Amino acid sequence: MQTSKVFIAKFLTSILHYTTETDELTNVIAEIDENEAEETIREDAEAHWDGDYEMQEYQIGNQTEAYEELKALDIDDEVNETVLTNAHDNWGYEFDMVLYEYENQMDAYHEIEALDTDSDDKQAILDEAEAQWGDDFEMVLYEYENQVEAYEGLN
C-alpha cells in the first residue's frame, strides 16, 4: 500500500505536539493522579445520579474499570499515543468514553493499514480522506469507503 505524503506530514506534525523533549511516548491516562481520578469519578457519579446509589455504584465501577484498563495500556508507538491523547482531550474523565473512542479509532487505523488500494484512483481517494480527516481514523475509513463505493458505482 502506498502511503500518503500529505497524511504522513500532517500526522507527524500533530504528534510532535504530544511527544516530550526526550521523545518518550506518554500514556496520558497513566499520568493522572489516581486519587484525583477516583475523586472525579465519584463526584461525577454523585452529581449525575443524585440519590440513586445503585446507579452511582454502577457508574463508579464502570468508570474505574475503564480508567484501570486505559492506565495499563502499553503506548508503544506515536499512533497509540496520539489516539489516546485525542480521546482524552475529547472526553476528559469520562474514561468509558475515552476507552470506547480509543478502541474504535485503533480498529479503524488497523483497517486502513490493511487496505488494498489496488489502483491509483483508490490511493488518491485514500490520500484525500487522510488529508481531510488527519488522525481521525474512523472518519478517514468512513470517507474512503463511501468515496470508493461511489467511484465503483460510476465506473
Side-chain angles (χ1 to χ4, degrees), residues 97-142:
M97 292 305 299
V98 173
L99 182 60
Y100 176 81
E101 181 174 327
Y102 175 80
E103 289 174 341
N104 287 343
Q105 289 289 343
M106 291 308 301
D107 288 347
Y109 171 78
H110 292 301
E111 284 188 52
I112 292 166
E113 288 295 295
L115 286 174
D116 181 16
T117 54
D118 56 4
S119 72
D120 290 341
D121 290 335
K122 286 183 181 177
Q123 184 61 49
I125 291 169
L126 179 59
D127 292 346
E128 180 59 33
E130 290 172 335
Q132 182 176 0
W133 294 104
D135 55 22
D136 186 342
F137 300 114
E138 286 183 287
M139 287 305 300
V140 170
L141 185 60
Y142 176 80

Side-chain angles (χ1 to χ4, degrees), residues 25-153:
L25 300 171
T26 302
N27 178 333
V28 67
I29 304 301
E31 292 188 337
I32 297 171
D33 179 73
E34 282 190 45
N35 293 328
E36 178 185 340
E38 204 174 283
E39 183 177 320
T40 303
I41 289 170
R42 181 170 299 283
E43 288 173 357
D44 288 350
E46 290 170 354
H48 190 77
W49 299 105
D50 188 31
D52 188 339
Y53 303 109
E54 183 179 9
M55 286 307 297
Q56 287 178 26
E57 180 180 49
Y58 172 79
Q59 182 171 330
I60 290 168
N62 193 40
Q63 293 294 345
T64 301
E65 183 179 322
Y67 166 72
E68 292 296 334
E69 188 172 339
L70 290 163
K71 186 174 72 167
L73 286 174
D74 180 26
I75 303 300
D76 57 0
D77 64 33
E78 289 86 4
V79 173
N80 286 304
E81 180 182 49
T82 299
V83 169
L84 182 58
T85 300
N86 289 347
H88 176 61
D89 288 348
N90 290 337
W91 295 102
Y93 283 65
E94 290 185 55
F95 297 111
D96 59 341
M97 292 305 299
V98 173
L99 182 60
Y100 176 81
E101 181 174 327
Y102 175 80
E103 289 174 341
N104 287 343
Q105 289 289 343
M106 291 308 301
D107 288 347
Y109 171 78
H110 292 301
E111 284 188 52
I112 292 166
E113 288 295 295
L115 286 174
D116 181 16
T117 54
D118 56 4
S119 72
D120 290 341
D121 290 335
K122 286 183 181 177
Q123 184 61 49
I125 291 169
L126 179 59
D127 292 346
E128 180 59 33
E130 290 172 335
Q132 182 176 0
W133 294 104
D135 55 22
D136 186 342
F137 300 114
E138 286 183 287
M139 287 305 300
V140 170
L141 185 60
Y142 176 80
E143 180 74 15
Y144 173 80
E145 289 172 343
N146 286 340
Q147 290 296 330
V148 166
E149 182 180 338
Y151 167 82
E152 290 174 344

